Amino acid sequence: MSANINANVLKNFIIKNIGSNHLTEKTAQKAGISKEQFEEANVDENKYLELDEILQDSDLYEQFATMYVEEQDNKKAAKDEEAEKKEQTEIKGKNGAGV
C-alpha cells in the first residue's frame, strides 16, 4: 500500500522531516535507516543521499512511504479524537439544557 505514494508527495514529506533535500548518514540513522541501507543506496559515494537516490532505492522508498502513511494515520486519528470530544461536549450541552 505504502509503495503507491506519489513521488512528489514523498519528496515533500522527506524534505519536511529531514529539513533538507539530502540525507546524511547521521540524519538517516535518526530516521531509522541502517548504515548498510544508507551505503547501499549511496550510488555516487558522496557523504549524503539526494532525494532521487532515496526514491530510486526501493527499500528506502518503502521505508519513507511507510513513515508517511503512519503520519497520515496519526493525523486522522487525532482529528477523529478531536471530533469525538466535540461531539461529546455537544451531547453534554444538550442534556444539560433540558434539565
Side-chain angles (χ1 to χ4, degrees), residues 1 7 12 23 25-26 32 35 39-42 45-46 48 55 59-60 65 67 71 75-76 93-96 99:
M1 175 177 122
N12 290 333
L23 183 67
E25 187 174 342
K26 185 176 180 180
K35 184 176 182 175
E39 290 174 355
E40 187 177 305
N42 194 5
E45 303 295 325
N46 54 11
Y48 59 87
L55 297 178
D59 290 337
L60 291 180
M67 290 168 57
E71 182 179 276
K75 285 180 181 179
K76 184 180 184 310
K94 287 180 183 178
N95 288 342
V99 175

Side-chain angles (χ1 to χ4, degrees), residues 8-35:
N8 288 326
V9 170
L10 196 57
K11 279 183 182 183
N12 290 333
F13 173 76
I14 293 168
I15 290 170
K16 183 184 98 181
N17 280 297
I18 65 175
S20 177
N21 62 352
H22 62 273
L23 183 67
T24 64
E25 187 174 342
K26 185 176 180 180
T27 309
Q29 288 177 345
K30 287 180 183 178
I33 297 166
S34 70
K35 184 176 182 175

Side-chain angles (χ1 to χ4, degrees), residues 46-64:
N46 54 11
K47 295 183 181 186
Y48 59 87
L49 292 176
E50 296 174 12
L51 286 174
D52 290 335
E53 290 175 305
I54 294 169
L55 297 178
Q56 289 172 1
D57 183 277
S58 61
D59 290 337
L60 291 180
Y61 189 101
E62 182 68 29
Q63 193 163 354
F64 277 105

